[in-house]
Amino acid sequence: IIAMIIMAFSYSNALVNYGFSQGDIGKAMVAFADARSATRAIIGYSGEAVVESVMAVREEKKAEFDNCFAAVKETLTTEEEQELYDNIARELETYWECDEKIVSMGANAVLEFRKYAQTMTVEELDPQYDVIYDELSRLMEINVTQGNTLSKALSIISIVLAVVLFAIIATV
């Protein structure tokens, strides 16, 4: 009974800290990519109504990303994960500032401003995006590895407990 309680508790922690966390990281990555796509649309489109619509989508995706990224923080279990998370958070501050400048400039009806915003996107924002996305991917890889390791350990414990249980029954 004690072993079953320990196994159930370990499984519950594994599900929260690795299963849900992987989902939150994945959702954050998708929302981050969608926000980037919206930024590109804002500086690429020229119709005022279309730009306003895409700006709303961008804000929605940024909020979605922030929610998912905050949820990830609640499931960090190692120092490596915490350091990576903190690094991503610092880089995001710079990214969102640059993104905001580009959107402000690119939403302008003046073609020269939009062209400059497009150049800034390629030269400044895209490299920042790549770094952050790669670090989010690394955080996902760490979670997958730790989740798989815990899953294997729980499987081994289950087998050992079954053997012990059969041995006890056989000797009684």
Side-chain angles (χ1 to χ4, degrees):
I1 292 173
I2 292 171
M4 286 174 46
I5 291 170
I6 291 171
M7 291 279 296
F9 181 74
S10 296
Y11 177 75
S12 175
N13 282 339
L15 188 59
V16 170
N17 291 333
Y18 304 111
F20 295 159
S21 178
Q22 290 172 32
D24 290 334
I25 295 168
K27 288 188 280 186
M29 292 171 77
V30 169
F32 190 52
D34 289 346
R36 175 192 191 198
S37 178
T39 295
R40 288 174 167 243
I42 290 166
I43 65 176
Y45 295 143
S46 59
E48 188 176 323
V50 173
V51 170
E52 285 181 20
S53 171
V54 177
M55 286 182 85
V57 169
R58 177 180 161 271
E59 289 305 314
E60 177 186 319
K61 294 303 176 179
K62 276 182 64 177
E64 184 180 332
F65 172 82
D66 289 341
N67 289 337
C68 292
F69 194 62
V72 170
K73 184 175 185 170
E74 301 303 316
T75 59
L76 302 175
T77 57
T78 68
E79 193 173 304
E80 179 184 18
E81 287 176 307
Q82 185 65 54
E83 287 175 12
L84 191 53
Y85 182 91
D86 292 343
N87 192 44
I88 293 168
R90 281 189 301 277
E91 290 167 353
L92 280 167
E93 289 177 23
T94 305
Y95 177 86
W96 292 126
E97 286 174 15
C98 184
D99 182 73
E100 196 61 45
K101 276 192 244 178
I102 288 169
V103 167
S104 295
M105 195 177 312
N108 196 310
V110 178
L111 182 60
E112 289 78 27
F113 286 137
R114 289 197 350 257
K115 284 185 177 183
Y116 185 69
Q118 291 168 0
T119 300
M120 280 182 66
T121 299
V122 171
E123 293 176 357
E124 295 178 36
L125 196 64
D126 287 354
Q128 291 177 38
Y129 173 87
D130 291 340
V131 168
I132 293 168
Y133 197 87
D134 288 346
E135 289 179 340
L136 286 167
S137 295
R138 175 72 183 124
L139 191 58
M140 175 73 85
E141 289 170 13
I142 291 169
N143 266 260
V144 169
T145 300
Q146 290 174 339
N148 288 343
T149 300
L150 184 55
S151 175
K152 288 177 187 173
L154 290 173
S155 294
I156 290 169
I157 291 170
S158 295
I159 292 168
V160 169
L161 289 174
V163 169
V164 168
L165 183 60
F166 286 126
I168 290 172
I169 291 172
T171 57
V172 173

